[in-house]
mmCIF file of all heavy atoms in Angstrom:
data_model
loop_
_atom_site.group_PDB
_atom_site.id
_atom_site.type_symbol
_atom_site.label_atom_id
_atom_site.label_comp_id
_atom_site.label_asym_id
_atom_site.label_seq_id
_atom_site.Cartn_x
_atom_site.Cartn_y
_atom_site.Cartn_z
ATOM 1 N N TYR Y 185 95.746 -49.515 28.114
ATOM 2 C CA TYR Y 185 95.855 -50.449 27.001
ATOM 3 C C TYR Y 185 95.085 -49.876 25.793
ATOM 4 O O TYR Y 185 93.984 -49.285 25.945
ATOM 5 C CB TYR Y 185 95.404 -51.804 27.451
ATOM 6 C CG TYR Y 185 96.402 -52.501 28.267
ATOM 7 C CD1 TYR Y 185 96.420 -52.424 29.641
ATOM 8 C CD2 TYR Y 185 97.603 -53.208 27.724
ATOM 9 C CE1 TYR Y 185 97.318 -53.065 30.405
ATOM 10 C CE2 TYR Y 185 98.505 -53.769 28.470
ATOM 11 C CZ TYR Y 185 98.412 -53.583 29.834
ATOM 12 O OH TYR Y 185 99.450 -54.253 30.625
ATOM 13 N N PRO Y 186 95.274 -50.406 24.639
ATOM 14 C CA PRO Y 186 94.600 -49.872 23.435
ATOM 15 C C PRO Y 186 93.215 -50.287 23.407
ATOM 16 O O PRO Y 186 92.806 -51.447 23.887
ATOM 17 C CB PRO Y 186 95.424 -50.549 22.242
ATOM 18 C CG PRO Y 186 96.157 -51.773 22.867
ATOM 19 C CD PRO Y 186 96.370 -51.334 24.255
ATOM 20 N N SER Y 187 92.335 -49.432 23.133
ATOM 21 C CA SER Y 187 90.909 -49.762 23.034
ATOM 22 C C SER Y 187 90.316 -50.081 21.679
ATOM 23 O O SER Y 187 89.250 -50.494 21.453
ATOM 24 C CB SER Y 187 89.981 -48.504 23.561
ATOM 25 O OG SER Y 187 90.407 -47.304 22.790
ATOM 26 N N GLU Y 188 91.278 -49.803 20.600
ATOM 27 C CA GLU Y 188 90.857 -50.313 19.277
ATOM 28 C C GLU Y 188 90.980 -51.738 19.153
ATOM 29 O O GLU Y 188 91.560 -52.467 19.966
ATOM 30 C CB GLU Y 188 91.716 -49.543 18.290
ATOM 31 C CG GLU Y 188 91.750 -48.040 18.370
ATOM 32 C CD GLU Y 188 90.406 -47.444 17.933
ATOM 33 O OE1 GLU Y 188 89.649 -48.126 17.180
ATOM 34 O OE2 GLU Y 188 89.874 -46.420 18.430
ATOM 35 N N THR Y 189 90.611 -52.192 17.943
ATOM 36 C CA THR Y 189 90.625 -53.704 17.714
ATOM 37 C C THR Y 189 92.071 -54.244 17.687
ATOM 38 O O THR Y 189 92.399 -55.237 18.179
ATOM 39 C CB THR Y 189 89.976 -54.006 16.344
ATOM 40 O OG1 THR Y 189 88.592 -53.602 16.385
ATOM 41 C CG2 THR Y 189 90.040 -55.515 16.029
ATOM 42 N N SER Y 190 93.062 -53.443 17.248
ATOM 43 C CA SER Y 190 94.459 -53.851 17.276
ATOM 44 C C SER Y 190 95.379 -52.637 17.249
ATOM 45 O O SER Y 190 94.942 -51.533 16.878
ATOM 46 C CB SER Y 190 94.754 -54.686 15.937
ATOM 47 O OG SER Y 190 94.609 -53.913 14.752
ATOM 48 N N VAL Y 191 96.623 -52.816 17.629
ATOM 49 C CA VAL Y 191 97.620 -51.908 17.604
ATOM 50 C C VAL Y 191 98.953 -52.456 16.951
ATOM 51 O O VAL Y 191 99.329 -53.576 17.338
ATOM 52 C CB VAL Y 191 98.011 -51.496 19.153
ATOM 53 C CG1 VAL Y 191 99.192 -50.464 19.103
ATOM 54 C CG2 VAL Y 191 96.753 -50.831 19.721
ATOM 55 N N SER Y 192 99.515 -51.745 16.055
ATOM 56 C CA SER Y 192 100.739 -52.271 15.404
ATOM 57 C C SER Y 192 101.992 -51.740 16.045
ATOM 58 O O SER Y 192 102.032 -50.552 16.415
ATOM 59 C CB SER Y 192 100.674 -51.689 13.923
ATOM 60 O OG SER Y 192 99.595 -52.375 13.190
ATOM 61 N N TYR Y 193 102.962 -52.659 16.313
ATOM 62 C CA TYR Y 193 104.246 -52.119 16.809
ATOM 63 C C TYR Y 193 105.174 -52.116 15.598
ATOM 64 O O TYR Y 193 105.023 -52.600 14.508
ATOM 65 C CB TYR Y 193 104.642 -53.321 17.777
ATOM 66 C CG TYR Y 193 104.044 -53.119 19.107
ATOM 67 C CD1 TYR Y 193 102.831 -53.606 19.389
ATOM 68 C CD2 TYR Y 193 104.649 -52.424 20.124
ATOM 69 C CE1 TYR Y 193 102.084 -53.515 20.646
ATOM 70 C CE2 TYR Y 193 104.121 -52.343 21.324
ATOM 71 C CZ TYR Y 193 102.849 -52.832 21.633
ATOM 72 O OH TYR Y 193 102.293 -52.674 22.830
ATOM 73 N N PRO Y 194 106.339 -51.337 15.913
ATOM 74 C CA PRO Y 194 107.420 -51.210 14.896
ATOM 75 C C PRO Y 194 107.909 -52.561 14.548
ATOM 76 O O PRO Y 194 107.618 -53.567 15.171
ATOM 77 C CB PRO Y 194 108.461 -50.435 15.684
ATOM 78 C CG PRO Y 194 107.705 -49.700 16.734
ATOM 79 C CD PRO Y 194 106.657 -50.623 17.094
ATOM 80 N N GLU Y 195 108.764 -52.625 13.586
ATOM 81 C CA GLU Y 195 109.352 -53.918 13.030
ATOM 82 C C GLU Y 195 109.973 -54.581 14.055
ATOM 83 O O GLU Y 195 110.919 -54.126 14.839
ATOM 84 C CB GLU Y 195 110.224 -53.626 11.886
ATOM 85 C CG GLU Y 195 109.635 -53.282 10.585
ATOM 86 C CD GLU Y 195 108.955 -54.691 10.053
ATOM 87 O OE1 GLU Y 195 109.553 -55.574 10.051
ATOM 88 O OE2 GLU Y 195 107.805 -54.469 9.551
ATOM 89 N N LEU Y 196 109.612 -55.934 14.362
ATOM 90 C CA LEU Y 196 110.284 -56.726 15.334
ATOM 91 C C LEU Y 196 110.878 -57.902 14.492
ATOM 92 O O LEU Y 196 111.028 -57.898 13.324
ATOM 93 C CB LEU Y 196 109.353 -57.135 16.457
ATOM 94 C CG LEU Y 196 108.628 -55.991 17.196
ATOM 95 C CD1 LEU Y 196 107.559 -56.615 18.042
ATOM 96 C CD2 LEU Y 196 109.672 -55.199 18.020
ATOM 97 N N SER Y 197 111.154 -58.919 15.304
ATOM 98 C CA SER Y 197 111.552 -60.150 14.624
ATOM 99 C C SER Y 197 110.375 -60.804 13.855
ATOM 100 O O SER Y 197 109.314 -60.348 14.178
ATOM 101 C CB SER Y 197 112.088 -61.221 15.644
ATOM 102 O OG SER Y 197 111.021 -61.649 16.529
ATOM 103 N N PRO Y 198 110.612 -61.681 12.933
ATOM 104 C CA PRO Y 198 109.513 -62.196 12.092
ATOM 105 C C PRO Y 198 108.317 -62.760 12.909
ATOM 106 O O PRO Y 198 107.229 -62.762 12.408
ATOM 107 C CB PRO Y 198 110.077 -63.172 11.201
ATOM 108 C CG PRO Y 198 111.533 -62.719 11.095
ATOM 109 C CD PRO Y 198 111.869 -62.202 12.394
ATOM 110 N N GLN Y 199 108.651 -63.265 14.189
ATOM 111 C CA GLN Y 199 107.611 -63.935 14.920
ATOM 112 C C GLN Y 199 106.731 -62.937 15.773
ATOM 113 O O GLN Y 199 105.761 -63.231 16.333
ATOM 114 C CB GLN Y 199 108.172 -64.896 15.887
ATOM 115 C CG GLN Y 199 108.832 -66.147 15.150
ATOM 116 C CD GLN Y 199 109.362 -67.056 16.185
ATOM 117 O OE1 GLN Y 199 110.158 -66.620 17.112
ATOM 118 N NE2 GLN Y 199 109.102 -68.316 16.097
ATOM 119 N N THR Y 200 107.159 -61.544 15.755
ATOM 120 C CA THR Y 200 106.416 -60.702 16.603
ATOM 121 C C THR Y 200 105.997 -59.425 15.855
ATOM 122 O O THR Y 200 105.600 -58.433 16.454
ATOM 123 C CB THR Y 200 107.202 -60.269 17.877
ATOM 124 O OG1 THR Y 200 108.420 -59.607 17.304
ATOM 125 C CG2 THR Y 200 107.602 -61.379 18.724
ATOM 126 N N GLN Y 201 105.911 -59.410 14.540
ATOM 127 C CA GLN Y 201 105.603 -58.281 13.755
ATOM 128 C C GLN Y 201 104.028 -58.101 13.625
ATOM 129 O O GLN Y 201 103.581 -57.165 13.120
ATOM 130 C CB GLN Y 201 106.262 -58.217 12.454
ATOM 131 C CG GLN Y 201 106.027 -59.469 11.619
ATOM 132 C CD GLN Y 201 106.838 -59.376 10.359
ATOM 133 O OE1 GLN Y 201 106.934 -58.267 9.708
ATOM 134 N NE2 GLN Y 201 107.519 -60.425 9.891
ATOM 135 N N ASN Y 202 103.259 -59.184 14.027
ATOM 136 C CA ASN Y 202 101.774 -59.079 13.860
ATOM 137 C C ASN Y 202 101.246 -58.065 14.875
ATOM 138 O O ASN Y 202 101.819 -57.961 15.993
ATOM 139 C CB ASN Y 202 101.121 -60.395 14.092
ATOM 140 C CG ASN Y 202 101.458 -61.381 12.955
ATOM 141 O OD1 ASN Y 202 101.795 -61.031 11.898
ATOM 142 N ND2 ASN Y 202 101.533 -62.686 13.253
ATOM 143 N N PRO Y 203 100.169 -57.377 14.662
ATOM 144 C CA PRO Y 203 99.541 -56.406 15.619
ATOM 145 C C PRO Y 203 98.919 -57.161 16.785
ATOM 146 O O PRO Y 203 98.651 -58.434 16.741
ATOM 147 C CB PRO Y 203 98.511 -55.677 14.804
ATOM 148 C CG PRO Y 203 98.124 -56.750 13.665
ATOM 149 C CD PRO Y 203 99.393 -57.466 13.365
ATOM 150 N N ILE Y 204 98.679 -56.481 17.839
ATOM 151 C CA ILE Y 204 98.006 -57.000 19.032
ATOM 152 C C ILE Y 204 96.463 -57.006 18.777
ATOM 153 O O ILE Y 204 95.892 -55.876 18.659
ATOM 154 C CB ILE Y 204 98.407 -56.174 20.280
ATOM 155 C CG1 ILE Y 204 99.874 -56.253 20.546
ATOM 156 C CG2 ILE Y 204 97.691 -56.816 21.467
ATOM 157 C CD1 ILE Y 204 100.264 -55.326 21.719
ATOM 158 N N SER Y 205 95.971 -58.138 18.859
ATOM 159 C CA SER Y 205 94.499 -58.195 18.671
ATOM 160 C C SER Y 205 93.750 -57.765 19.841
ATOM 161 O O SER Y 205 94.334 -57.735 21.003
ATOM 162 C CB SER Y 205 94.077 -59.599 18.217
ATOM 163 O OG SER Y 205 94.316 -60.486 19.255
ATOM 164 N N LEU Y 206 92.354 -57.537 19.789
ATOM 165 C CA LEU Y 206 91.687 -57.143 20.989
ATOM 166 C C LEU Y 206 91.547 -58.356 21.987
ATOM 167 O O LEU Y 206 91.653 -58.112 23.204
ATOM 168 C CB LEU Y 206 90.154 -56.864 20.522
ATOM 169 C CG LEU Y 206 89.244 -56.396 21.560
ATOM 170 C CD1 LEU Y 206 89.804 -55.207 22.344
ATOM 171 C CD2 LEU Y 206 87.837 -56.136 21.021
ATOM 172 N N GLU Y 207 91.507 -59.552 21.404
ATOM 173 C CA GLU Y 207 91.471 -60.761 22.343
ATOM 174 C C GLU Y 207 92.773 -60.877 23.137
ATOM 175 O O GLU Y 207 92.835 -61.072 24.351
ATOM 176 C CB GLU Y 207 91.261 -62.013 21.535
ATOM 177 C CG GLU Y 207 91.329 -63.295 22.363
ATOM 178 C CD GLU Y 207 90.935 -64.557 21.489
ATOM 179 O OE1 GLU Y 207 89.824 -64.778 21.162
ATOM 180 O OE2 GLU Y 207 91.966 -65.249 21.209
ATOM 181 N N GLU Y 208 93.869 -60.689 22.424
ATOM 182 C CA GLU Y 208 95.184 -60.649 23.144
ATOM 183 C C GLU Y 208 95.387 -59.567 24.175
ATOM 184 O O GLU Y 208 95.843 -59.653 25.304
ATOM 185 C CB GLU Y 208 96.348 -60.614 22.172
ATOM 186 C CG GLU Y 208 96.459 -61.852 21.197
ATOM 187 C CD GLU Y 208 97.448 -61.639 20.037
ATOM 188 O OE1 GLU Y 208 97.710 -60.443 19.631
ATOM 189 O OE2 GLU Y 208 97.796 -62.634 19.429
ATOM 190 N N SER Y 209 94.855 -58.361 23.714
ATOM 191 C CA SER Y 209 94.873 -57.207 24.704
ATOM 192 C C SER Y 209 94.030 -57.463 25.999
ATOM 193 O O SER Y 209 94.552 -57.234 27.018
ATOM 194 C CB SER Y 209 94.474 -55.962 24.000
ATOM 195 O OG SER Y 209 94.375 -54.922 24.915
ATOM 196 N N ASN Y 210 92.817 -58.048 25.808
ATOM 197 C CA ASN Y 210 91.996 -58.381 26.978
ATOM 198 C C ASN Y 210 92.541 -59.417 27.902
ATOM 199 O O ASN Y 210 92.607 -59.373 29.110
ATOM 200 C CB ASN Y 210 90.627 -58.716 26.517
ATOM 201 C CG ASN Y 210 89.836 -57.634 25.811
ATOM 202 O OD1 ASN Y 210 90.105 -56.431 26.215
ATOM 203 N ND2 ASN Y 210 88.903 -57.859 24.984
ATOM 204 N N LEU Y 211 93.250 -60.424 27.176
ATOM 205 C CA LEU Y 211 93.878 -61.479 27.999
ATOM 206 C C LEU Y 211 94.998 -60.970 28.812
ATOM 207 O O LEU Y 211 95.283 -61.250 29.936
ATOM 208 C CB LEU Y 211 94.353 -62.585 27.008
ATOM 209 C CG LEU Y 211 95.031 -64.004 27.718
ATOM 210 C CD1 LEU Y 211 94.558 -65.002 26.761
ATOM 211 C CD2 LEU Y 211 96.450 -63.749 27.786
ATOM 212 N N ALA Y 212 95.775 -59.997 28.205
ATOM 213 C CA ALA Y 212 97.016 -59.445 28.843
ATOM 214 C C ALA Y 212 96.541 -58.573 30.034
ATOM 215 O O ALA Y 212 97.135 -58.567 31.093
ATOM 216 C CB ALA Y 212 97.720 -58.418 27.888
ATOM 217 N N LYS Y 213 95.289 -57.836 29.930
ATOM 218 C CA LYS Y 213 94.821 -57.143 30.989
ATOM 219 C C LYS Y 213 94.467 -58.034 32.225
ATOM 220 O O LYS Y 213 94.711 -57.702 33.380
ATOM 221 C CB LYS Y 213 93.545 -56.337 30.604
ATOM 222 C CG LYS Y 213 93.837 -55.193 29.643
ATOM 223 C CD LYS Y 213 92.528 -54.501 29.215
ATOM 224 C CE LYS Y 213 92.743 -53.411 28.190
ATOM 225 N NZ LYS Y 213 91.504 -52.620 27.794
ATOM 226 N N ARG Y 214 93.752 -59.127 31.886
ATOM 227 C CA ARG Y 214 93.307 -59.953 32.976
ATOM 228 C C ARG Y 214 94.623 -60.579 33.647
ATOM 229 O O ARG Y 214 94.560 -60.749 34.963
ATOM 230 C CB ARG Y 214 92.466 -61.192 32.422
ATOM 231 C CG ARG Y 214 91.161 -60.653 31.783
ATOM 232 C CD ARG Y 214 90.039 -61.726 31.770
ATOM 233 N NE ARG Y 214 90.563 -63.065 31.374
ATOM 234 C CZ ARG Y 214 90.684 -63.365 30.101
ATOM 235 N NH1 ARG Y 214 90.254 -62.551 29.089
ATOM 236 N NH2 ARG Y 214 91.122 -64.621 29.731
ATOM 237 N N TYR Y 215 95.522 -60.916 32.843
ATOM 238 C CA TYR Y 215 96.800 -61.477 33.460
ATOM 239 C C TYR Y 215 97.472 -60.407 34.323
ATOM 240 O O TYR Y 215 97.949 -60.893 35.402
ATOM 241 C CB TYR Y 215 97.825 -61.911 32.290
ATOM 242 C CG TYR Y 215 99.122 -62.428 32.756
ATOM 243 C CD1 TYR Y 215 99.329 -63.643 33.094
ATOM 244 C CD2 TYR Y 215 100.222 -61.462 32.790
ATOM 245 C CE1 TYR Y 215 100.606 -64.028 33.504
ATOM 246 C CE2 TYR Y 215 101.395 -61.712 33.242
ATOM 247 C CZ TYR Y 215 101.643 -63.167 33.552
ATOM 248 O OH TYR Y 215 102.889 -63.567 33.938
ATOM 249 N N ASN Y 216 97.569 -59.292 33.891
ATOM 250 C CA ASN Y 216 98.229 -58.224 34.813
ATOM 251 C C ASN Y 216 97.488 -57.835 36.059
ATOM 252 O O ASN Y 216 98.131 -57.555 37.084
ATOM 253 C CB ASN Y 216 98.439 -56.949 33.899
ATOM 254 C CG ASN Y 216 99.441 -57.090 32.776
ATOM 255 O OD1 ASN Y 216 100.419 -57.854 32.900
ATOM 256 N ND2 ASN Y 216 99.216 -56.434 31.759
ATOM 257 N N ARG Y 217 96.160 -57.984 35.997
ATOM 258 C CA ARG Y 217 95.277 -57.701 37.143
ATOM 259 C C ARG Y 217 95.444 -58.821 38.247
ATOM 260 O O ARG Y 217 95.547 -58.596 39.389
ATOM 261 C CB ARG Y 217 93.742 -57.538 36.816
ATOM 262 C CG ARG Y 217 93.405 -56.213 36.183
ATOM 263 C CD ARG Y 217 92.016 -55.970 36.256
ATOM 264 N NE ARG Y 217 91.269 -57.031 35.557
ATOM 265 C CZ ARG Y 217 90.918 -56.964 34.291
ATOM 266 N NH1 ARG Y 217 91.181 -55.763 33.475
ATOM 267 N NH2 ARG Y 217 90.241 -57.906 33.773
ATOM 268 N N ALA Y 218 95.422 -60.185 37.826
ATOM 269 C CA ALA Y 218 95.454 -61.226 38.810
ATOM 270 C C ALA Y 218 96.292 -62.237 38.250
ATOM 271 O O ALA Y 218 95.859 -63.315 37.845
ATOM 272 C CB ALA Y 218 94.046 -61.745 38.960
ATOM 273 N N ARG Y 219 97.588 -62.066 38.437
ATOM 274 C CA ARG Y 219 98.552 -63.169 37.742
ATOM 275 C C ARG Y 219 98.519 -64.409 38.464
ATOM 276 O O ARG Y 219 98.536 -65.425 37.782
ATOM 277 C CB ARG Y 219 100.007 -62.435 37.808
ATOM 278 C CG ARG Y 219 101.032 -63.235 37.001
ATOM 279 C CD ARG Y 219 102.345 -62.490 37.050
ATOM 280 N NE ARG Y 219 102.165 -61.176 36.457
ATOM 281 C CZ ARG Y 219 103.137 -60.315 36.465
ATOM 282 N NH1 ARG Y 219 104.302 -60.579 36.933
ATOM 283 N NH2 ARG Y 219 102.890 -59.098 36.017
ATOM 284 N N GLU Y 220 98.415 -64.453 39.715
ATOM 285 C CA GLU Y 220 98.396 -65.674 40.535
ATOM 286 C C GLU Y 220 97.187 -66.589 40.224
ATOM 287 O O GLU Y 220 97.395 -67.685 39.874
ATOM 288 C CB GLU Y 220 98.501 -65.477 42.064
ATOM 289 C CG GLU Y 220 98.634 -66.683 42.774
ATOM 290 C CD GLU Y 220 98.879 -66.423 44.261
ATOM 291 O OE1 GLU Y 220 98.965 -65.232 44.607
ATOM 292 O OE2 GLU Y 220 98.876 -67.389 45.085
ATOM 293 N N SER Y 221 96.022 -66.020 40.216
ATOM 294 C CA SER Y 221 94.754 -66.822 39.962
ATOM 295 C C SER Y 221 94.739 -67.166 38.515
ATOM 296 O O SER Y 221 94.271 -68.307 38.190
ATOM 297 C CB SER Y 221 93.599 -65.978 40.340
ATOM 298 O OG SER Y 221 93.550 -64.766 39.617
ATOM 299 N N PHE Y 222 95.283 -66.278 37.689
ATOM 300 C CA PHE Y 222 95.323 -66.622 36.172
ATOM 301 C C PHE Y 222 96.234 -67.837 36.021
ATOM 302 O O PHE Y 222 95.812 -68.682 35.208
ATOM 303 C CB PHE Y 222 95.954 -65.494 35.442
ATOM 304 C CG PHE Y 222 95.822 -65.412 33.975
ATOM 305 C CD1 PHE Y 222 94.711 -64.918 33.360
ATOM 306 C CD2 PHE Y 222 96.688 -66.059 33.233
ATOM 307 C CE1 PHE Y 222 94.586 -65.075 31.898
ATOM 308 C CE2 PHE Y 222 96.676 -66.152 31.845
ATOM 309 C CZ PHE Y 222 95.606 -65.716 31.225
#
Side-chain angles (χ1 to χ4, degrees):
Y185 285 95
S187 58
E188 301 295 333
T189 301
S190 65
V191 176
S192 296
Y193 279 80
E195 280 292 317
L196 302 173
S197 64
Q199 289 180 313
T200 58
Q201 56 184 317
N202 292 334
I204 302 176
S205 68
L206 180 60
E207 180 178 280
E208 293 170 338
S209 176
N210 290 334
L211 187 147
K213 290 180 182 179
R214 298 203 315 273
Y215 174 86
N216 293 325
R217 281 198 303 265
R219 188 173 304 176
E220 183 174 356
S221 60
F222 190 91

